[in-house]
Amino acid sequence: MAVGLAILAAPAPAAQAHATLLFTSPTVDGAVPTSPEQILLVFDQAVVPARSTLTLTGPGRGQVPVGAATSGSNGQTVSVPVAGTLEEGEYLVGWQVTAADGDTMIGGFRFAVGSTAGLSLGSGGSVATRGAPAITGLRWALFLGLALALGGLVGTRLAKRTRRPGSSPPERGGEPAPWVRPGLWLSLAAAAGLAVLYLGDGSLRTSLGTLSVAPFLASGPGRLAGLEVVALVVAVALAGVRRDAWAAGLVAAGVAVAEGFRAHPQAAAPGWGATLISVHLLAAAVWVGALIHVLRVSRWRNRRGQSAGPLVRAYARLALALFLAVLATGTISGLLLIGLDDLVPTLRDTGYGRWLLVKLTFVIVVAGLALWARWHLARRPDRRQPAATARVEVVLLAAILAFSGVLTARAPPAASDLPLPFPPPAVGPVEGVGSRAGWIGVGAIASSGQLLVRLTTPDISSAVAPQDNEDYELVGNITDMATQEAVKLEFRRCGTGCFVAPVAWTRGDHTVTLEASSQHFEGGTTALPVAWPARQRPALLQRVVRAMRGVPRLVVHEQVTSDTNAGLGIEQPLKMSGRKYLGVGPYGSGVAPTVVVLSRSRTETTLALGYPGEGTYIRLTFDERDRIVREALAPPNHLISRTLVYPQPNDEHDLHRQ
């Protein structure tokens, strides 16, 4: 039976929904060459910007002015504009938001501005729950009160069914009465305390200084907290005035349902997540509360020479069903949040995991003591459980509750490869390059601290909205051409066909090697050149366009392929003028979203042109007379390679240049 009390350690961590920070711009411990216009936070679930959402501390430890926080992308992003221009140096960002469960999450990270950025960084980001000790204690009081009320009612029904004929019921001075009203009062006090803390974003001082509750009740967590308080007021009234304990218990059960909507599984699987946690909490509450009442009645009967065996056996049958319900819902909820692959690293490498291991060890010890006691009672049904064993169990259970409180206050570790809900925005200098890997189109956007890659296949109609049923995989590395040092790229998903990896760009030329594959098309490997820092040179493209408009005749040798594994395609010669050639490509107007110099020699210059909105990327090489000599055009569905030959000199152009 002691294992039943140990389950008290399980429900609260499941109902503690911590919002996970997935992405920041600027990146955590990252560097941007120039002052950012805004600071962006991306979370795994909808959050509400709390008071003093973000603070920015500069190199001199002074506060940097920032604008008001705004929320977007269905509440998953919080952005704050930066007032003015940030000087070079390191900056500390402190943030706080209200998560789906109403808890205020606080955290911080560092980034740097300028060429010296990153030299003393490496602290990583931090996340915690504001007011965690108070919130932890109040949540446990809330659940304990529900357990005493709901479990007490069920335990009373078991006691009534196993009562010896002629014994007086609890209301007539007989067996102990269930602690329904004390439990409801305890839950009400805890729910009111939580509402007060939520009103002040986890701070009692802020709560006392807040006169208006309208903004609080306008949020989902606020409405849930208010609903719980109202429900418990009604339950207390039913139990105290009307003395209708079962009606009061039914209303109180609604609080467990409300708690289900706070939980992380609800964010991972809307509807089903809340159902799982609600069943989990109700089963655990009945298990624990009924056990407490059964132990009280058993002691009362034993003191009067009555046998408590029938009551214990009846509870044991009920406890088995409750155990299966708790086990099933807890397991499914856990799998929704933490995969099997992450379990061992979490237990081994994180503080949260080590606390969890200690707690599980104590639970196993308590379970062993309970099994030994049951075996002892089975051999000697006329004897009670040894007092020494009971005292040890109580001490261990108290320790388990303490460990559970620690786990509830700590944010569970989040996997570093959690998918982003959408592609992260580019920050600072931007460079677009692309090619093809087998049947898969590859487009890459390099910006400060990151590389964003989009994969497409020939049967899609949009470069920015791939088919939902297409499953892509991507691995790669980046090589610094100066040092020839290759670093593996750690990609995380950001949508169908979308991958993003952090990159610590160094000055100079780089080669990004990518191996892409998909569910329905053969992939391959491609290499993309990236020059950093990405300086925009739109004037060079305009100069090339002006020169090409003056070319009367040229021959284009063109190859087209949709599968680079089969080669570049059959070469086709095409005769046309320079003006007509400009009408074939997307850069004929002389404008491109990104224009970056990839390489430059005495006779040739290569530009990288990027059109991310269309999923088209171009490598354009021109000669010393600004005439295009080679072009690699990579739209989403194929790769076009062109070599341009000029049979006759452009005499007028030559005279103009002289």
Side-chain angles (χ1 to χ4, degrees):
M1 290 189 295
V3 182
L5 282 176
I7 202 64
L8 192 57
Q16 182 81 5
H18 294 269
T20 299
L21 182 63
L22 298 177
F23 173 83
T24 69
S25 174
T27 57
V28 175
D29 281 353
V32 290
T34 59
S35 175
E37 296 181 358
Q38 69 170 359
I39 296 174
L40 176 70
L41 310 176
V42 182
F43 295 88
D44 67 335
Q45 58 181 268
V47 297
V48 179
R51 298 175 184 82
S52 303
T53 296
L54 187 142
T55 59
L56 184 61
T57 305
R61 298 188 179 275
Q63 291 294 312
V64 179
V66 294
T70 58
S71 182
S73 300
N74 297 320
Q76 290 186 259
T77 67
V78 174
S79 58
V80 177
V82 176
T85 301
L86 302 183
E87 63 182 17
E88 289 192 0
E90 298 179 10
Y91 290 82
L92 173 64
V93 176
W95 57 265
Q96 64 179 46
V97 296
T98 301
D101 62 347
D103 286 350
T104 295
M105 308 301 299
I106 59 175
F109 65 92
R110 294 180 182 273
F111 72 92
V113 176
S115 59
T116 60
L119 294 180
S120 62
L121 298 177
S123 60
S126 62
V127 181
T129 302
R130 189 181 186 190
I135 291 175
T136 298
L138 289 172
R139 276 222 173 124
W140 278 103
L142 173 68
F143 177 75
L144 180 59
L146 292 177
L148 293 175
L150 300 178
L153 290 172
V154 175
T156 300
R157 180 61 61 90
L158 294 177
K160 182 178 180 180
R161 288 169 46 192
T162 59
R163 188 178 300 137
R164 190 175 66 177
S167 299
S168 300
E171 59 271 15
R172 296 179 183 176
E175 297 174 346
W179 289 333
V180 176
R181 277 182 287 179
L184 293 176
W185 276 108
L186 178 60
S187 292
L188 176 57
L194 287 170
V196 170
L197 283 179
Y198 295 158
L199 179 63
D201 296 329
S203 169
L204 180 60
R205 178 180 301 178
T206 304
S207 301
L208 297 177
T210 302
L211 299 179
S212 175
V213 298
F216 169 70
L217 294 178
S219 66
R223 288 192 294 269
L224 278 176
L227 177 63
E228 290 183 4
V229 172
V230 172
L232 288 167
V233 168
V234 173
V236 168
L238 288 173
V241 179
R242 296 185 54 185
R243 298 188 179 277
D244 192 340
W246 282 100
L250 183 62
V251 174
V255 176
V257 176
E259 285 291 308
F261 282 92
R262 300 184 191 275
H264 257 318
Q266 169 65 7
W272 286 108
T275 301
L276 286 170
I277 295 302
S278 298
V279 174
H280 187 83
L281 292 174
L282 287 171
V286 173
W287 187 346
V288 174
L291 174 59
I292 293 173
H293 188 70
V294 165
L295 291 176
R296 292 174 62 221
V297 174
S298 297
R299 181 186 298 177
W300 187 90
R301 292 183 181 180
N302 287 329
R303 287 178 177 176
R304 285 155 181 78
Q306 301 177 17
S307 174
L311 175 59
V312 172
R313 288 190 290 271
Y315 171 77
R317 290 190 294 269
L318 174 64
L320 177 61
L322 295 172
F323 165 76
L324 294 176
V326 171
L327 178 64
T329 54
T331 300
I332 297 173
S333 300
L335 291 177
L336 285 175
L337 302 177
I338 302 177
L340 291 175
D341 295 339
D342 297 326
L343 180 59
V344 173
T346 297
L347 295 175
R348 181 189 61 209
D349 302 330
T350 67
Y352 183 92
R354 287 187 283 271
W355 278 106
L356 182 59
L357 273 177
V358 174
K359 171 193 163 184
L360 292 176
T361 301
F362 273 67
V363 170
I364 292 173
V365 173
V366 171
L369 290 173
L371 290 175
W372 182 85
R374 290 293 300 274
W375 174 78
H376 178 81
L377 291 173
R379 290 184 59 203
R380 301 287 301 274
D382 56 324
R383 297 284 301 276
R384 290 181 290 178
Q385 182 176 352
T389 304
R391 285 194 293 269
V392 173
E393 289 181 15
V394 169
V395 172
L396 293 179
L397 287 173
I400 290 173
L401 293 178
F403 297 143
S404 297
V406 174
L407 292 173
T408 304
R410 297 177 69 96
S416 60
D417 59 350
L418 286 176
L420 299 177
F422 49 81
V427 181
V430 177
E431 179 177 344
V433 291
S435 185
R436 199 159 191 83
W439 285 93
I440 301 175
V442 180
I445 300 293
S447 64
S448 294
Q450 70 179 35
L451 178 72
L452 177 70
V453 179
R454 288 186 179 275
L455 305 180
T456 57
T457 44
D459 61 336
I460 65 173
S461 58
S462 171
V464 294
Q467 296 184 137
D468 290 338
N469 62 354
E470 190 68 50
D471 185 19
Y472 296 92
E473 297 293 338
L474 181 67
V475 295
N477 60 66
I478 181 170
T479 303
D480 187 324
M481 302 307 295
T483 63
Q484 293 299 308
E485 180 181 357
V487 177
K488 182 181 178 182
L489 293 168
E490 300 294 339
F491 284 110
R492 66 198 301 183
R493 297 180 184 271
C494 50
T496 303
C498 179
F499 299 83
V500 64
V503 177
W505 297 106
T506 56
R507 182 178 295 273
D509 296 330
H510 306 78
T511 297
V512 177
T513 304
L514 301 174
E515 182 180 348
S517 61
S518 76
Q519 183 178 4
H520 300 103
F521 291 87
E522 181 183 1
T525 302
T526 187
L528 304 176
V530 175
W532 197 261
R535 295 189 177 93
Q536 300 301 313
R537 303 296 299 272
L540 287 180
L541 177 60
Q542 295 169 5
R543 200 172 76 188
V544 168
V545 169
R546 287 196 300 268
M548 292 300 295
R549 286 173 180 166
V551 175
R553 291 178 296 276
L554 60 89
V555 179
V556 180
H557 298 271
E558 183 177 88
Q559 297 171 277
V560 181
T561 183
S562 293
D563 179 13
T564 56
N565 295 323
L568 296 179
I570 300 175
E571 184 176 299
Q572 297 288 341
L574 304 170
K575 296 181 180 180
M576 61 183 69
S577 66
R579 186 175 294 274
K580 185 176 181 180
Y581 182 80
L582 291 175
V584 175
Y587 51 84
S589 64
V591 178
T594 62
V595 182
V596 176
V597 175
L598 285 178
S599 63
R600 174 173 278 178
S601 67
R602 186 178 62 84
T603 58
E604 291 185 346
T605 301
T606 300
L607 299 178
L609 310 182
Y611 298 82
E614 300 177 4
T616 299
Y617 303 90
I618 302 170
R619 251 177 284 177
L620 199 65
T621 302
F622 58 92
D623 61 15
E624 70 277 7
R625 300 167 66 180
D626 296 337
R627 300 180 306 180
I628 299 173
V629 294
R630 288 185 303 280
E631 178 182 353
L633 174 64
N637 297 338
H638 45 268
L639 177 66
I640 303 174
S641 303
R642 294 169 178 155
T643 301
L644 282 66
V645 177
Y646 301 86
Q648 298 178 1
N650 190 333
D651 296 334
E652 294 181 0
H653 185 66
D654 289 341
L655 291 174
H656 176 72
R657 289 179 61 85
Q658 293 175 0

